[in-house]
Amino acid sequence: MSEKRAQCLTGKGVTKVFGLGDKKTVAVDHVDFDFREGEIISIVGESGSGKTTLSKMLLGLISVSEGEVMFQGKPRDISTNQKKKEYWKGIQAIFQDPFSSYNTFNKIDSVLLDCINMRGGKSLPYDQKFEMMREACSFVNLEFKELTNKYPFELSGGQMQRLMIARIFLLKPKILLADEPTSMIDACSRATILDMLLKLRDEINMTIIFITHDIGLAYYISDSVYIMEHGKFVEHGKAEDVILHPKATYTQRLINDVPKIYEEWDLSTV
Amino acid sequence: MKNTLRQVFHSPKFVIGFVIFAALLLTTIIYPIIVTADPLEMVGNGNFFKPGTYVSVKDSVEGTRYTLNVDVKAGSLDSKISAEDKESMKEWLTKFGGVAEADINLEDTEGLIALWEANYSEDADQPGLTASRKKYFVRLNKNIDGVLLDSDVIIAQKDPETGELVESATIGSKEFVNTKDVANKKTFILGTDNFGRDVLTELVDATKTSLRVGLIAGIIATLIGLFLGLISGYMGGVVDDLIMFITNMFTVIPSFVLLILISYSVGQNARGVNLVGIIIGLTSWTWTTRSVRSQVISLRNRDHVNLSKLSGHSMMRIVLTDILPYLASYVVMAFILQISSGILSEAQLSMLGLGPSTSNAATLGLMMNWATAYAAPLNGSWWAYFPVVVTIALIAFSLNLMNTGLDQVFNPQLRD
Ligand SMILES: Nc1ncnc2c1ncn2[C@@H]1O[C@H](COP(=O)(O)OP(=O)(O)OP(=O)(O)O)[C@@H](O)[C@H]1O
Ligand SMILES: [Mg+2]
């Protein structure tokens, strides 16, 4: 199915090197990828494998050390501030750590109002804006009335993550990079939220790049899966193929490490 | 915001510093309202009059006199000869005067003086005494000389016709004047300086001027440092390199040397108080730039800044709303330290004679400069420099205390 879709983000030999000399870390090591429009792509890998680094490169927030990222089939050009701004119009992110994602000096309202303004709703009457914010919050099981006039640090980690997702409902971007967006959210709300994201994908053909540790979750939501180990993609393909018939030993280990209820947890493999 | 303020005022260090500083500041504001005299007026005709109340001799002589039955001799003896002097006298008399120790009673000052006058001789053989000790005894002897005499002081007036002196009054030792009757008197709580200026009034004025110098220097240094640090840290690249190059150049040349060179080239007469403040500010922004820059670098990659970028905010807005607020507490602390170091720099400059031109202002540094130039520490005129030192120390101490107090409040939050 992915073959029919248009190219969204593609990469050839994309590499990120941090530091120089002895302190050099190759966080992402010559990865190739082909993300198609309207797909949900999961990037799965253990801690430190370079997932966040790759997503920051895709967002254009950090430079690419080597290799090339193509956007909609053409080389991506974000060399000037103006071009970056243009690029960021269609791409949004949910960052891994909700605690550092908010400006602690701004109230929660301003986070959501920014989104409405971005979508050209600046001149709407406040009633209407309020209604939009309330709706976005209710999508993620939040009560806007309880949040208004509060500061981000007055929320729990899970509430912060939900608010980040509420932003996405307001913004409806073409591409979403979600870096473990539900890591602090209870399983029940998580399912609803993920269903909402899937619906959004169907509605506006949003491309979702979903970064997670949780291979089960990846199987549940994604069309294709990329398995990352030490900065490299060791395996990729359709979710069913990769997860049900893993080829790389690393993938097999990841799958085996998922603890299953009713089953003895074999600590020797951890 | 309100919460932070409350926290700040719960920090004992900050409160102590704040109270000291506020007290100094209030003094510089209220004192001139009460004492309206020109702080630079040269009241004393001579240098370094010691602290105390000065009453007009003529007024005292001409005013109403009261006879009091008080033992004035004991009083004046006590003021002229200290207990230490008495011990020294006893030591001399037993060692070189040939007086038996049993004959000396330190309680009986008059008896001791009588013994002294009978036995002391400057030329006596005094083995084992240093020259300065010998001189001390000569001085003591002069002091004591005539202290036991009890003759009246005669006041005479010139007869306008014959030109002869005619006795008009005698003043006995038991006659007193009431200081309330003396019309002309003047109190110098901290004495006078080498120009005969009232040190206290001058000190208050100087504190005010020095605070102004510190404030001007602090504002300029902080603004320049903040501006360059923000740009350099946020933009990075060529801009960063250029700004850091300039900053390093200023750092390599010690700012104090630069300060001296600029002050010297401006020339004595052109150096007003404000100009000195500006010069100090222009040479001391480098460390604010460096530390703001490094803070900005650690902030600019935070996700809340990234989110702001993705929300389409301009660079200006990101710097002002996503970076500056996180630095605010830090900048306040840097500002406080800059004020403090500005005041100290002025004092150092003035000590070298490169401070504000002397004729139109007093600053703490200038007061120190003059006190040293006129050897106040050597001739025992502590009042000309000690209060100045204490004031400088208090200002620096209170500002630094506030700074550490703020540090304690802000830092856990900065880490968030
Ligand atoms: N700014 C940086 N400077 C230097 N090294 C970095 C930097 N950011 C990440 N790294 C290194 O790059 C490697 C990959 O980090 P990254 O954050 O991409 O991992 P991750 O896959 O997101 O892990 P996790 O699942 O724990 O979030 C790590 O070894 C990390 O130490
Ligand atoms: Mg990560």
Side-chain angles (χ1 to χ4, degrees):
Chain A
M1 140 173 121
S2 71
E3 303 317 314
K4 282 175 268 163
R5 298 173 188 269
Q7 283 188 328
C8 177
L9 280 166
T10 31
K12 261 214 135 40
V14 175
T15 302
K16 181 70 193 180
V17 183
F18 287 113
L20 296 165
D22 288 347
K23 282 188 267 173
K24 201 163 93 168
T25 318
V26 183
V28 177
D29 193 358
H30 295 92
V31 297
D32 303 330
F33 50 86
D34 182 4
F35 301 156
R36 297 291 168 134
E37 221 163 74
E39 254 190 347
I40 295 183
I41 305 107
S42 284
I43 301 177
V44 187
E46 63 185 0
S47 189
S49 54
K51 307 181 296 292
T52 301
T53 309
L54 177 62
S55 84
K56 292 252 160 92
M57 282 194 287
L58 293 178
L59 284 164
L61 290 170
I62 57 175
S63 63
V64 177
S65 309
E66 213 182 293
E68 195 173 27
V69 176
M70 316 270 279
F71 178 54
Q72 294 173 339
K74 294 184 284 286
R76 181 180 69 166
D77 183 7
I78 49 166
S79 50
T80 65
N81 277 339
Q82 207 48 49
K83 285 174 181 161
K84 267 187 192 159
K85 259 184 153 170
E86 200 54 43
Y87 180 64
W88 287 332
K89 273 192 183 148
I91 191 161
Q92 279 300 328
I94 298 168
F95 295 111
Q96 183 171 14
D97 177 12
F99 293 95
S100 67
S101 299
Y102 293 93
N103 181 336
T104 45
F105 295 90
N106 291 346
K107 291 197 176 135
I108 287 163
D109 308 46
S110 80
V111 177
L112 297 175
L113 281 174
D114 266 355
C115 302
I116 297 177
N117 293 344
M118 245 185 113
R119 299 274 296 173
K122 202 166 188 149
S123 52
L124 291 176
Y126 184 76
D127 285 354
Q128 209 168 330
K129 286 184 185 173
F130 181 90
E131 185 48 35
M132 289 165 84
M133 291 191 276
R134 198 198 55 71
E135 191 191 20
C137 286
S138 71
F139 274 143
V140 289
N141 278 342
L142 285 176
E143 197 60 61
F144 181 64
K145 280 201 203 80
E146 285 168 18
L147 301 180
T148 179
N149 267 324
K150 277 197 178 161
Y151 286 94
F153 55 81
E154 294 173 280
L155 303 188
S156 74
Q159 285 174 319
M160 287 186 193
Q161 275 190 335
R162 288 183 216 187
L163 194 68
M164 271 297 146
I165 301 167
R167 272 185 85 241
I168 303 304
F169 284 119
L170 283 173
L171 286 169
K172 300 195 168 56
K174 289 301 291 173
I175 306 171
L176 170 66
L177 269 144
D179 197 345
E180 301 189 32
T182 57
S183 60
M184 296 179 191
I185 299 175
D186 59 282
C188 186
S189 311
R190 182 184 308 180
T192 352
I193 289 170
L194 292 176
D195 276 340
M196 289 305 224
L197 279 179
L198 292 179
K199 221 195 270 160
L200 215 53
R201 189 264 304 255
D202 294 339
E203 262 174 42
I204 61 164
N205 202 26
M206 180 163 74
T207 311
I208 301 175
I209 299 158
F210 199 86
I211 295 172
T212 180
H213 290 121
D214 187 342
I215 204 153
L217 186 63
Y219 176 68
Y220 170 62
I221 66 163
S222 45
D223 301 315
S224 56
V225 174
Y226 284 75
I227 308 288
M228 198 166 195
E229 181 190 15
H230 297 310
K232 288 195 176 78
F233 283 148
V234 291
E235 187 167 0
H236 70 92
K238 280 190 185 154
E240 307 87 61
D241 294 348
V242 173
I243 292 165
L244 298 181
H245 312 287
K247 286 187 210 74
T249 47
Y250 182 71
T251 319
Q252 289 163 3
R253 227 190 74 206
L254 281 180
I255 293 165
N256 289 336
D257 286 351
V258 178
K260 296 175 187 74
I261 303 179
Y262 309 123
E263 220 173 79
E264 202 67 37
W265 190 357
D266 185 5
L267 282 173
S268 64
T269 59
V270 177
Chain B
M1 190 62 216
K2 219 173 85 192
N3 231 347
T4 323
L5 219 58
R6 230 184 38 222
Q7 253 181 328
V8 164
F9 278 94
H10 273 164
S11 152
K13 279 189 182 170
F14 181 86
V15 172
I16 296 172
F18 184 78
V19 167
I20 297 175
F21 190 76
L24 282 170
L25 200 65
L26 280 180
T27 313
T28 64
I29 295 168
I30 294 171
Y31 185 90
I33 299 173
I34 300 166
V35 180
T36 47
D38 174 10
L40 297 183
E41 189 190 67
M42 301 180 188
V43 200
N45 193 3
N47 17 357
F48 301 130
F49 293 170
K50 63 184 170 199
T53 302
Y54 292 76
V55 296
S56 154
V57 180
K58 194 156 178 277
D59 284 358
S60 317
V61 169
E62 286 172 351
T64 323
R65 272 175 260 147
Y66 308 88
T67 306
L68 300 181
N69 288 319
V70 227
D71 184 5
V72 287
K73 200 180 275 172
S76 54
L77 281 181
D78 280 349
S79 83
K80 280 203 168 142
I81 306 166
S82 67
E84 203 182 319
D85 289 338
K86 285 187 206 168
E87 287 288 347
S88 307
M89 283 160 75
K90 181 179 170 184
E91 191 190 324
W92 197 95
L93 286 174
T94 49
K95 270 195 191 152
F96 314 112
V99 181
E101 201 170 336
D103 293 341
I104 300 172
N105 176 10
L106 286 184
E107 301 296 306
D108 175 18
T109 316
E110 277 183 56
L112 183 67
I113 292 172
L115 270 177
W116 177 263
E117 290 191 330
N119 291 297
Y120 178 76
S121 153
E122 255 176 58
D123 310 321
D125 193 22
Q126 300 162 50
L129 271 198
T130 59
S132 74
R133 193 74 180 147
K134 275 184 202 161
K135 268 191 203 139
Y136 162 75
F137 282 113
V138 173
R139 240 184 297 137
L140 187 62
N141 189 44
K142 263 193 203 141
N143 241 353
I144 291 168
D145 199 27
V147 96
L148 287 180
L149 292 179
D150 191 19
S151 54
D152 291 351
V153 175
I154 294 167
I155 298 177
Q157 274 166 341
K158 219 175 215 168
D159 189 304
E161 283 164 31
T162 59
E164 273 176 32
L165 288 175
V166 180
E167 183 182 318
S168 67
T170 52
I171 302 174
S173 58
K174 297 200 171 185
E175 290 190 54
F176 285 76
V177 290
N178 185 329
T179 49
K180 289 212 176 103
D181 294 343
V182 179
N184 293 298
K185 57 189 169 208
K186 185 118 185 96
T187 304
F188 298 113
I189 295 175
L190 291 176
T192 70
D193 70 357
N194 55 297
F195 296 113
R197 295 165 177 167
D198 178 0
V199 171
L200 181 63
T201 314
E202 194 185 359
L203 180 65
V204 172
D205 189 55
T207 306
K208 194 155 116 190
T209 317
S210 282
L211 284 177
R212 192 164 91 208
V213 172
L215 204 67
I216 293 176
I219 289 176
I220 290 180
T222 307
L223 282 184
I224 297 179
L226 184 62
F227 181 72
L228 291 182
L230 277 176
I231 295 189
S232 171
Y234 189 76
M235 299 204 15
V238 189
V239 180
D240 184 28
D241 290 344
L242 187 72
I243 291 176
M244 277 340 273
F245 177 71
I246 298 171
T247 311
N248 285 337
M249 239 165 48
F250 271 86
T251 320
V252 170
I253 314 168
S255 66
F256 196 65
V257 172
L258 208 63
L259 197 55
I260 290 174
L261 291 177
I262 298 179
S263 300
Y264 185 74
S265 65
V266 166
Q268 173 74 29
N269 296 329
R271 279 200 307 268
V273 170
N274 294 344
L275 189 63
V276 169
I278 293 172
I279 295 174
I280 295 175
L282 286 179
T283 55
S284 54
W285 49 268
T286 49
W287 66 261
T288 309
T289 305
R290 288 171 158 281
S291 37
V292 166
R293 174 178 173 270
S294 61
Q295 301 247 346
V296 172
I297 287 177
S298 80
L299 278 169
R300 75 170 177 203
N301 288 324
R302 290 245 201 129
D303 281 342
H304 78 266
V305 176
N306 286 335
L307 196 76
S308 202
K309 284 180 183 167
L310 292 180
S311 302
H313 294 157
S314 64
M315 177 187 136
M316 193 68 168
R317 173 154 175 199
I318 292 177
V319 169
L320 291 182
T321 65
D322 295 313
I323 294 198
L324 199 54
Y326 284 80
L327 290 176
S329 55
Y330 183 79
V331 171
V332 170
M333 298 199 308
F335 178 54
I336 287 179
L337 282 186
Q338 291 279 21
I339 293 180
S340 158
S341 78
I343 289 171
L344 293 178
S345 293
E346 184 278 326
Q348 285 173 304
L349 263 192
S350 295
M351 287 288 284
L352 295 177
L354 291 170
S357 59
T358 44
S359 51
N360 47 30
T363 68
L364 294 172
L366 285 174
M367 287 183 78
M368 288 295 289
N369 183 30
W370 286 115
T372 341
Y374 279 74
L378 293 181
N379 58 34
S381 312
W382 56 267
W383 57 89
Y385 60 91
F386 190 64
V388 185
V389 175
V390 170
T391 311
I392 293 178
L394 273 182
I395 294 176
F397 176 68
S398 62
L399 287 172
N400 281 300
L401 215 54
M402 280 200 264
N403 188 52
T404 25
L406 285 179
D407 204 16
Q408 282 174 347
V409 173
F410 284 136
N411 266 357
Q413 211 181 358
L414 260 186
R415 273 185 243 125
D416 52 285

